[in-house]
Amino acid sequence: MKKILVLGAGGFIGSHLVKRLKSEGNWVRGVDLKYPEYSKTLADEFIIGDLRDQQLVNKVVDVPFDEIYQLAADMGGAGYIFTGEHDADVMHNSATINLNVLERARIIGAKKIFYSSSACMYPAYNQTEPNNPKCSEDSAYPAQPDSEYGWEKLFSERLYLSYNRNYKMDVHIARFHNIFGPEGTWKDGKEKAPAAICRKVAMVKDGAEIEIWGDGKQTRSFLYIDECLEGVARLMNSNFSGPVNIGSEEMVTIDKLVEMVAKISGKEIKIKHISGPLGVRGRNSDNKLIAKELGWKPTKKLEDGLAVTYKWIEQQVNA
Ligand code: NAD
């Protein structure tokens, strides 16, 4: 039985990760500002606390855990990240968490640490075309992320890599590309495109119109939560530090995403394009490196993950 610490265990990915780690028979301590919103945590111990506070970090990282997963971050979808209104908080809060946690993990002699970076760290200039964005791991430099959220991720990747270089810490870094699934944020401004679209479709009648930010031709790929956790597990069980993409290569336009959700709902949906925060024009995961290093690629089609997610969001809307 491994002793594992999950930071950000009250969040979307963290709460699913705790479930998986518990199902594998590990002992898990979770830490977050809040409990998971949609189901009871399965962690053996759950500490409510603020990881910007070094005292709290010292308290929760009190033994050399077999594995630490650092998922805590000040984050959200385009409506949170790209308006510019939260830039100082995003940079200060997430960088402080990473500085605090990593230094404490070093002092305590943590055996292995995972860090969740994001595809948002890739340069904007490689993502101006909807049809051929470039997001291979080696395209990160010269750096030009299009948000402060992306810059902080890039800084923190480098922080983890320098602790690996100078202190021989066993770090593993993934660049997540749009993870979605049940029990993810679906309203109130921090939700991402798949959840927002599922909510909008679930709330209207057959034949109605929903609003979509932009012209709908912007592209993205989306990875179902269970696939993401499988990728993380393989990365943690390898000797590979990364950074490596964990995402899907099934790229779709946002209009296509709406079409898929509409089909799942059984409703006919019309789209009204309005202006809104957008991020880059096109983005897709590039899975060559993960295939080479870990022999892994996602197995589920976007439509299958969306069907499960739509059903869950429909239940929330009607609750
Ligand atoms: P989330 O917002 O659901 O989870 C993050 C958790 O961190 C939240 O529960 C939040 O309360 C907690 N947190 C924030 N500040 C804290 C603090 N000061 N002290 C303690 N806890 C704090 O997000 P998520 O989707 O589960 O993402 C997890 C990680 O993966 C994040 O680092 C995120 O940047 C990264 N990521 C996610 C995606 C995605 O598509 N979901 C994509 C790229 C990267």
Side-chain angles (χ1 to χ4, degrees):
M1 190 203 273
K2 284 189 246 174
K3 199 163 178 157
I4 298 180
L5 179 66
V6 178
L7 305 171
F12 166 53
I13 300 173
S15 56
H16 281 279
L17 175 64
V18 169
K19 281 186 201 157
R20 179 175 167 132
L21 294 171
K22 280 307 300 169
S23 75
E24 292 166 348
N26 301 294
W27 186 94
V28 180
R29 172 184 291 165
V31 183
D32 203 298
L33 290 169
K34 60 175 178 67
Y35 290 105
E37 274 166 65
Y38 306 109
S39 60
K40 205 173 166 317
T41 181
L42 296 185
D44 297 275
E45 229 176 68
F46 198 101
I47 299 175
I48 294 287
D50 190 336
L51 295 162
R52 289 170 301 183
D53 172 4
Q54 184 76 65
Q55 306 277 317
L56 181 277
V57 172
N58 294 351
K59 198 178 105 191
V60 301
V61 190
D62 57 347
V63 291
F65 287 90
D66 296 304
E67 294 176 1
I68 298 178
Y69 293 83
Q70 198 324 69
L71 300 158
D74 193 358
M75 68 97 70
Y80 187 73
I81 295 298
F82 297 119
T83 59
E85 286 164 28
H86 311 283
D87 287 352
D89 281 351
V90 164
M91 292 202 96
H92 175 268
N93 294 341
S94 299
T96 307
I97 294 170
N98 286 310
L99 289 161
N100 287 350
V101 166
L102 197 51
E103 178 59 7
R104 179 62 182 173
R106 177 186 74 82
I107 290 168
I108 208 86
K111 298 197 177 71
K112 218 184 237 197
I113 184 160
F114 171 84
Y115 173 59
S116 51
S117 181
S118 163
C120 288
M121 47 61 61
Y122 282 114
Y125 57 77
N126 279 334
Q127 303 171 80
T128 55
E129 303 280 326
N131 294 325
N132 58 347
K134 185 172 177 187
C135 291
S136 55
E137 288 80 350
D138 61 3
S139 71
Y141 298 95
Q144 197 200 315
D146 71 337
S147 65
E148 302 307 342
Y149 170 74
W151 277 106
E152 189 283 327
K153 289 293 187 192
L154 196 58
F155 162 77
S156 289
E157 281 188 5
R158 299 188 68 103
L159 181 71
Y160 283 79
L161 289 172
S162 45
Y163 271 64
N164 169 258
R165 223 166 27 246
N166 296 160
Y167 300 123
K168 308 288 171 257
M169 279 180 70
D170 187 5
V171 309
H172 300 263
I173 304 168
R175 293 173 178 160
F176 290 156
H177 289 243
N178 283 316
I179 314 304
F180 76 101
E183 303 192 7
T185 305
W186 62 280
K187 59 173 180 155
D188 296 339
K190 281 195 165 187
E191 67 278 16
K192 299 186 164 190
I197 291 169
C198 287
R199 184 198 67 231
K200 289 177 186 183
V201 171
M203 288 178 77
V204 298
K205 293 205 165 61
D206 189 16
E209 183 178 77
I210 64 167
E211 291 185 340
I212 293 295
W213 291 343
D215 64 4
K217 295 190 175 63
Q218 65 273 34
T219 52
R220 291 293 185 277
S221 69
F222 303 93
L223 184 71
Y224 190 66
I225 180 69
D226 294 357
E227 306 260 27
C228 166
L229 297 182
E230 181 60 26
V232 170
R234 296 206 184 202
L235 179 58
M236 276 299 257
N237 291 329
S238 76
N239 294 321
F240 186 49
S241 284
V244 67
N245 291 330
I246 294 189
S248 160
E249 288 182 327
E250 188 184 343
M251 187 171 79
V252 291
T253 64
I254 296 300
D255 278 354
K256 176 73 187 171
L257 189 64
V258 176
E259 193 188 308
M260 284 176 153
V261 174
K263 189 175 151 214
I264 290 163
S265 73
K267 297 176 191 175
E268 197 183 311
I269 297 291
K270 296 190 194 82
I271 301 175
K272 181 181 180 191
H273 295 113
I274 59 164
S275 64
L278 293 175
V280 293
R281 187 72 177 141
R283 174 171 292 152
N284 193 10
S285 186
D286 180 319
N287 291 348
K288 284 186 217 62
L289 185 64
I290 197 161
K292 177 172 159 264
E293 293 290 339
L294 306 177
W296 181 81
K297 62 174 185 199
T299 57
K300 224 179 167 81
K301 289 207 311 251
L302 172 59
E303 215 165 326
D304 298 339
L306 276 179
V308 184
T309 308
Y310 180 79
K311 202 167 163 203
W312 180 80
I313 292 181
E314 193 182 35
Q315 280 165 7
Q316 306 306 304
V317 167
N318 296 328

